């Protein structure tokens, strides 16, 4: 729970599209505002602020001469605030535009000098010692009025209450009530001191509010005079007005008028805040605390482990922190073109660092970057669980993410990811369960890429898809963390194998082409080959070609429909060559073999790109020549590699029909097999 509170109190967040991780280590002699020692120093100064808020109005009204003890205490207090002024020149500050810590000494000094430096100095100058040095009289009214400038220190208390209101360990209602009571008591204390000062400085003591009730009030003890002044202040503030103490001279009347006008605003402030607390709560902060309370009850009711509970609370705290930035709302309110421009400016440099997009066209990157969604994650939050269904891939912009794997019933940290790394892409692209668990180690900014959108973009960019899958395969092949079984799963997957089948086939083609050439050369260079007649010699060569072709076909990694077409082409090439018995020179024969091998390799590529997608279509037969026949039932088939094969299948499925034309639903003729999509309805027509 303490970790959750610390995360929430830390306002340091990386900006969208941060180029690198924000370094926690600051420059030498620069103090972090989140340092525990500086926080302790601030707490100590707050105690001195409370002392200053009470003593200086009291000293102005009731203490004509200061004792040396009080004089020493005041100067010690002032010295502490003077030290704080010096420390502020070395205190890093949070840039509200980028939400990053600024540790540049020049920027720190310029910011402080242009903001609160003058006020801090004026509230810290020891005016009374200067008065003693100049005219040997430091207890004059003028010096006491200058001491009232020290009330500027109360701004620290305002910041304290703002921080305490967000602390989930404390009760928001009582924190708010404490703040309102403190404001009221300070107003009562100051007004009581001021009204007594007016009476004490009036020429005729008997014509004052306190002199009319207590003729010899100056002879009374300090406690009696102070309590009387506070009593008048309370009755006036609450508009009770018993009549026993009231203004007696124009000065007091003028002050009472101003004080009651002030009371109107103060009363409205108190009543408004109390109504807000009792009736509505404090809007966003109150809703945040209710959400925290509901999440805590949910974890307790369902007996969730402490780790999961802390992850829930930390995520809610961070979401509350980022809601104030209004980043998503700002982007959603902009036109699509503007959002795309912003996404390119922020995220395109990050996307270019990701290994799977190395070599991808700019058009594909542009389409990908517009689909990215920026998210913040607190430390120790699980982003992806091992073996879960892949739905998203994530790009790490800033922060750190641990790669964990289950071993012997426990989790082991395999690797630590940094800015520019991607995770979850293996499960997303290979359609396999996620192989690892990914958990943040500190506040991290991630770019989420939906698997569905990624596949849709790659479906439109076939060449880029091959590049991405090749980059992924090389990464997995070079990483020893991936077992052979996982590699086989990814290679056999519908998406991953689509690219690698023909890549392996092409490599087999090259190897077998070289082997065929060596066999031909050895066969034709042999002395026994020279003794053969020309027809026998070519017969041997054809035998060699046949052996090389069929061996090559056996090495293909997939025996699907597309590769069956390649197998048939091998056999037809051999049969045609054997039947015609073309008599050509050895050099010409080698050239023909190489050309045929190259053509078959190209055919393999085409087959792999079209057929390996395993499209299923529905074919319908519409007879034209004999309309009296009933229309046969439709058939669902796997799409072959060419239109000729499609017509051949149709003649087998629909007996006594000979279709010669293929059209779609709109009766538009189809003359290219690649134009057919998965799930299309095709209509075969006789002419």
């Amino acid at each position: 729970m303490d970790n959750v509170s610390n995360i929430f109190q830390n306002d340091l967040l990386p900006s969208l599209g941060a180029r690198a991780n924000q370094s926690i280590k600051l420059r030498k002699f620069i103090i972090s505002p989140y340092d525990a020692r500086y926080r302790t120093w601030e707490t100590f100064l707050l105690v001195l602020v409370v002392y200053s808020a009470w003593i200086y109005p009291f000293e102005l009204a009731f203490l004509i001469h200061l004792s040396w003890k009080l004089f020493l205490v005041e100067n010690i207090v002032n010295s502490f605030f003077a030290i704080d002024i010096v420390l502020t020149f070395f205190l890093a500050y949070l840039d509200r535009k980028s939400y990053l810590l600024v540790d540049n000494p020049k920027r720190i000094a310029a910011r402080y000098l242009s903001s609160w430096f003058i006020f801090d100095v004026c509230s810290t100058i020891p005016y009374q010692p200067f008065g003693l040095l100049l005219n040997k009289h430091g207890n004059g009214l003028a010096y006491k009025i200058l001491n009232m400038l020290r009330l500027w220190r109360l701004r620290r208390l305002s910041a304290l209450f703002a921080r305490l209101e967000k602390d989930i360990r404390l009760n928001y209602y009582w924190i708010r009530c404490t703040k309102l009571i403190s404001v009221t008591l300070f107003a009562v204390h100051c007004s009581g001191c001021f009204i007594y000062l007016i009476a004490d400085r009036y020429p005729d003591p008997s014509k004052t509010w306190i002199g009319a009730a207590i003729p010899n009030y100056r002879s009374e003890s300090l406690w009696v005079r102070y309590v009387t002044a506070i009593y008048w202040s309370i009755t006036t503030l609450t508009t009770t007005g018993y009549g026993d103490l009231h203004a007696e001279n124009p000065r007091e009347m003028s002050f009472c008028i101003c004080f009651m006008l002030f009371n109107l605003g103060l009363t409205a402030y108190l009543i408004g805040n109390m109504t807000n607390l009792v009736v509505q709560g404090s809007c966003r902060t109150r809703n945040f605390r209710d959400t925290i309370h509901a999440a805590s009850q949910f974890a307790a009711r369902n007996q969730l482990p402490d780790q999961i509970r802390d992850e829930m609370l930390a995520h809610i705290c961070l979401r509350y922190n980022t809601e104030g930035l209004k980043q998503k709302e700002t982007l959603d309110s902009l036109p699509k073109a503007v959002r795309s421009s912003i996404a390119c400016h922020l995220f395109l440099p990050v996307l270019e660092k990701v290994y799977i997009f190395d070599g991808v066209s700019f058009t594909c990157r542009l389409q990908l970057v517009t689909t990215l969604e920026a998210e913040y994650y607190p430390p120790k939050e699980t982003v992806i669980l091992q073996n879960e269904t892949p739905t998203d891939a994530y790009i790490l912009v800033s922060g750190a993410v641990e790669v964990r794997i289950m071993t012997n019933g426990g989790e082991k940290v395999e690797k630590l990811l940094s800015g520019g790394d991607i995770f979850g892409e293996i499960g997303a692209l290979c359609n396999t369960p996620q192989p690892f668990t990914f958990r943040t180690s500190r506040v991290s900014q991630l770019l989420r890429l939906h698997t569905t959108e990624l596949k849709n973009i790659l479906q439109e960019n076939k060449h880029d898809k091959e590049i991405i899958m090749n980059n992924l395969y090389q990464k997995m092949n070079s990483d020893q963390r991936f077992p052979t079984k996982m590699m086989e799963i990814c290679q056999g997957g519908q998406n991953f194998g689509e690219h690698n089948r023909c890549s392996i086939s092409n490599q087999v083609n090259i190897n077998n082409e070289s082997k065929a050439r060596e066999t031909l050369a050895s066969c034709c260079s042999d002395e026994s080959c020279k003794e053969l007649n020309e027809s026998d010699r070519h017969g041997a060569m054809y035998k060699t070609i046949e052996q090389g072709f069929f061996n090559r076909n056996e090495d293909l990694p997939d025996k699907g429909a597309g590769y069956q077409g390649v197998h048939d082409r091998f056999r037809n090439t051999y049969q045609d060559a054997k039947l015609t018995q073309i008599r050509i020179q050895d050099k010409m024969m080698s050239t023909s073999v190489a050309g045929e091998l190259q053509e078959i390799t190209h055919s393999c590529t085409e087959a792999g790109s079209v057929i390996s997608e395993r499209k299923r279509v529905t074919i319908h037969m519409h007879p034209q020549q004999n309309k009296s026949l009933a229309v046969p039932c439709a058939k669902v088939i796997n799409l072959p590699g060419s239109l000729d094969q499609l017509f051949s299948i149709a003649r087998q499925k629909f007996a006594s029909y000979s279709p010669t034309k293929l059209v779609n639903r709109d009766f538009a003729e189809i003359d290219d097999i690649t134009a057919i999509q998965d799930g299309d309805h095709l209509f075969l027509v006789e002419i």
Side-chain angles (χ1 to χ4, degrees), residues 51 53 140 146 161 177-178 214 344 480 525 528 546 548 579 606 667:
Y51 168 78
L146 289 175
F161 279 111
C177 289
T178 303
I214 307 175
C344 291
Q480 299 180 355
S525 62
S528 60
E546 179 185 14
L579 290 174
E606 292 180 353
F667 208 75

Side-chain angles (χ1 to χ4, degrees), residues 528-559:
S528 60
C529 181
K530 294 180 180 180
E531 297 177 358
L532 294 174
N533 57 34
E534 194 170 3
S535 60
D536 294 336
R537 186 169 131 196
H538 285 294
M541 293 170 66
Y542 286 124
K543 184 177 181 181
T544 303
I545 296 172
E546 179 185 14
Q547 182 180 1
F549 283 166
F550 294 150
N551 288 341
R552 199 165 101 191
N553 190 30
E554 291 172 359
D555 290 334
L556 290 174
D558 196 329
K559 302 292 185 182

